[in-house]
Amino acid sequence: LHELNFGSFTDKEKPFKVNLKVKIKNHIQKLDDDMMVLTGAVGMDTFRDITAARKREYPVVFHPSLHSESMDRYIFPSGFRIRKIPQALTLDTPFIYRAENFVFQDSTLTISVSHKEKEHKISAEQIDEFKRHAVEMQKRELKLKNIVFEKK
């Protein structure tokens, strides 16, 4: 931990912010002198637990969460580029809002995520539709699991 700052605990008109500056070992793997892989940079709930059963007897109830925003920056040695920058995402469904953005500039990858779970009830009859959404989120999670950087 290099730096830790908190926003106001008392000013309820402003969003509460926590700013961290950390160095994480082994988050980026150097495969060789020309290639690095960033693993697990974007985490998300893909609802594997909810969709694991073939059939549901009871509804799924989502309770609203606080709106969270995160911005992570990864600084790479100069001369590296992203093999394929992930596409931005904006998802606004009855049960979740999520926006993701990726910018690579001056050897720095910035990942911004905005997330909020909404209050919603999914009946057992509606679970197949929800499962289709969850499968799409699981596919996206796999695409984002490893971000490859190559030397120019």
Side-chain angles (χ1 to χ4, degrees):
L1 178 65
H2 294 278
E3 191 176 310
L4 174 62
N5 296 312
F6 293 99
S8 173
F9 288 99
T10 57
D11 189 349
K12 293 180 179 37
E13 297 299 316
K14 292 182 182 176
F16 179 72
K17 293 183 180 184
V18 177
N19 295 311
L20 298 169
K21 193 174 204 178
V22 297
K23 184 173 183 176
I24 302 172
K25 285 188 172 194
N26 301 322
H27 197 54
I28 299 171
Q29 289 82 39
K30 182 178 177 181
L31 301 180
D32 58 37
D33 289 340
D34 297 327
M35 190 175 295
M36 292 186 273
V37 177
L38 173 60
T39 302
V42 180
M44 65 183 82
D45 186 352
T46 59
F47 310 107
R48 291 181 196 281
D49 54 340
I50 296 172
T51 60
R54 288 187 189 184
K55 185 178 176 187
R56 287 194 70 92
E57 292 183 34
Y58 303 103
V60 175
V61 178
F62 285 91
H63 298 286
S65 68
L66 295 174
H67 182 146
S68 68
E69 293 186 4
S70 65
M71 181 182 292
D72 298 332
R73 288 191 178 98
Y74 299 91
I75 301 169
F76 291 85
S78 63
F80 279 84
R81 66 175 181 83
I82 295 180
R83 180 180 286 172
K84 184 176 179 186
I85 192 159
Q87 290 186 343
L89 167 80
T90 300
L91 181 65
D92 195 359
T93 70
F95 41 89
I96 192 172
Y97 170 80
R98 184 173 182 88
E100 300 170 351
N101 192 42
F102 303 84
V103 176
F104 187 68
Q105 185 176 358
D106 300 327
S107 299
T108 301
L109 173 64
T110 303
I111 302 173
S112 303
V113 177
S114 179
H115 178 89
K116 178 165 179 47
E117 290 184 11
K118 301 176 184 178
E119 187 167 11
H120 192 72
K121 185 176 183 178
I122 300 170
S123 69
E125 295 79 28
Q126 297 170 314
I127 200 69
D128 286 339
E129 180 183 339
F130 177 75
K131 281 183 180 182
R132 284 190 288 278
H133 163 75
V135 166
E136 290 304 312
M137 292 297 291
Q138 291 162 12
K139 287 178 187 176
R140 179 154 180 92
E141 180 185 44
L142 285 174
K143 283 183 184 178
L144 296 176
K145 185 172 182 128
N146 294 310
I147 302 173
V148 178
F149 292 81
E150 304 172 306
K151 212 170 218 177
K152 294 180 190 177

